[in-house]
Amino acid sequence: MYNIYGMEFRIEKTLPGGLGRAGVIKTAHGEIKTPAFMAVGTTGFVRFLSSNDLHGVGAQAMLSNGYHLRRKAAAIAQAGGLANWRSQLTDDHDALSEAELQNNEAEAWHGPTLTDSGGFQVMSLGSGLGKVVSMEKERHITNTAHHERLAHVEEKGVSFTDPFDGLPDFIGPEESMQIQCQIGADIHMAFDELTSLADSYEYNIEAMERTERWAKRSLAEHIRHRDDLGYRQNLYAVLQGGRWEDLRRQTARNLANMQVSGIEFDGFGLGGAFLKEDLGEILRWCNEELPATKPRHLLGLSHPDDVFVGAAMGADTFDCVAPTREARHGKIYTRHGSINLRKMRDVGEPLDHDCDCATCQAGWTLGSLRAMWRSGDVEQKRKFYRLASIHNLRFIIRLTEQIRTAMIGEYFDEFRKEFLHNYYGEFSN
């Protein structure tokens, strides 16, 4: 058991000769058995799902976003932190379940939570409008012209124009930590600068060094506020460095050794924009340098092949909006690959044979979901969004559960090969 400044991380099993491991992260609001997928509730709740729905799909933790919650941070602090906050949702009816519409509020999650710094969001208002951060894109891209940007990176932080109200705003490392410590998640991310596939090696050096300076400022400010709500909040540093091995290894070493008043980071976020085929190598470079005794979170990935690569290369937790977002767009996950409801006929087949999610257990079929999705009735669509989201989220969470079991049972390689063959039609490393 490793005691990390109020958070504990225990490694239960490691892959022979590799970086992957199964473990347990203990936080003030509960345990996370790893590898684990975190449900994404950007504004403090997962769209169309209740707290009971999240528990039903086996979610162990929820990830929210500091940028999107920054103006509600004081209210969240007053409620005792994100895990206890009953979000007022009267301004977001499209995202509500029928029960939430009646109550005008969502239930508190009451479990482990993580907040992202919001760095990705504010960067995407600037050069991020032209920065392609998707792993599916190729290199033929350019950054947005300077005069078109809504955000500008400076040493002190990022100045930006809020796209919703048109008002000027600013977030730097200190502001991000103050916001996140008010929100009160168990785990926070240091403020960082995300680069893109369009950025040069030279700019990646500049951004990486700035991210490291911001990381130290984030840690200093976090130490001042991490106990404000009466329980210990924890901070992860975020690794950047693009697709270059020397930068990735260098920043991993620098952040692993960084201290303020003798206090280190509690864990690490693995971030950045890179091509999909580079994921495994980039994670290997980072995690060979990072201390094995601290947890690592892989930001923004959830497709099965990426999860397998991440788990094998030492990532402990994952998050992504894709399972629920793709569900709302009619993409249903199955063990034999995803199904696009737009391209299928109405059929009475179950979504996925032997699936243990509440949607499948209740007998809903592909045809019945498709009919709801194509319906012009608002309530029918909301019902579809909930049922499909439950199914997709359970699918990815169950996958991480199975990966954990396979690691502990010492049959990870066999399970990976079988699963990827069934899902993609062929085995890929």
Side-chain angles (χ1 to χ4, degrees), residues 47-50 53 93-102 379 382 386:
R47 297 189 71 191
F48 303 100
L49 300 186
S50 68
D53 289 332
H93 289 303
D94 288 343
L96 303 187
S97 68
E98 185 175 350
E100 288 166 347
L101 280 168
Q102 294 172 357
E379 287 305 316
R382 284 184 179 142
R386 174 176 176 267

Side-chain angles (χ1 to χ4, degrees), residues 14 189 391 419:
T14 57
M189 292 288 169
H391 174 80
F419 186 97

Side-chain angles (χ1 to χ4, degrees), residues 13-20 407 410:
K13 192 78 172 184
T14 57
L15 291 180
L19 294 165
M407 285 181 169
E410 300 183 353

Side-chain angles (χ1 to χ4, degrees), residues 28-181:
H29 292 95
E31 292 185 345
I32 307 169
K33 296 179 179 180
T34 67
F37 181 81
M38 295 185 177
V40 178
T42 301
T43 56
F45 68 101
V46 180
R47 297 189 71 191
F48 303 100
L49 300 186
S50 68
S51 179
N52 286 336
D53 289 332
L54 291 185
H55 288 296
V57 299
Q60 299 183 73
M62 180 181 70
L63 179 143
S64 297
N65 188 273
Y67 166 80
H68 289 289
L69 287 174
R70 69 192 189 281
R71 293 177 180 170
K72 298 180 181 179
I76 297 172
Q78 190 172 18
L82 186 59
N84 298 307
W85 181 52
R86 293 175 66 84
S87 170
Q88 297 296 323
L89 301 172
T90 54
D91 58 344
D92 198 7
H93 289 303
D94 288 343
L96 303 187
S97 68
E98 185 175 350
E100 288 166 347
L101 280 168
Q102 294 172 357
N103 296 331
N104 253 358
E105 60 183 19
E107 294 180 32
W109 158 237
H110 294 311
T113 52
L114 183 151
T115 44
D116 198 356
S117 69
F120 172 86
Q121 283 69 33
V122 294
M123 299 297 170
S124 69
L125 298 174
S127 59
L129 289 172
K131 286 182 177 181
V132 179
V133 295
S134 169
M135 294 166 60
E136 309 300 330
K137 301 290 185 178
E138 293 298 333
R139 291 186 171 87
H140 302 295
I141 53 178
T142 58
N143 282 339
T144 302
H146 185 77
H147 69 277
E148 297 173 346
R149 301 179 182 183
L150 295 176
H152 301 280
V153 178
E154 307 165 85
E155 183 61 30
K156 64 179 181 178
V158 182
S159 300
F160 62 97
T161 301
D162 190 301
F164 297 103
D165 59 23
L167 297 176
D169 208 338
F170 173 84
I171 296 179
E174 290 78 14
E175 289 77 11
S176 178
M177 293 304 99
Q178 291 160 14
I179 291 167
Q180 290 188 74
C181 285

Side-chain angles (χ1 to χ4, degrees), residues 15-18 20 308 311-312 402-403 405-421 427-429:
L15 291 180
F308 273 106
Q402 292 169 329
I403 289 174
T405 299
M407 285 181 169
I408 293 173
E410 300 183 353
Y411 60 91
F412 173 77
D413 288 339
E414 294 84 354
F415 174 66
R416 174 174 58 178
K417 183 174 182 179
E418 179 183 7
F419 186 97
L420 293 178
H421 174 76
F427 173 64
S428 59
N429 290 312

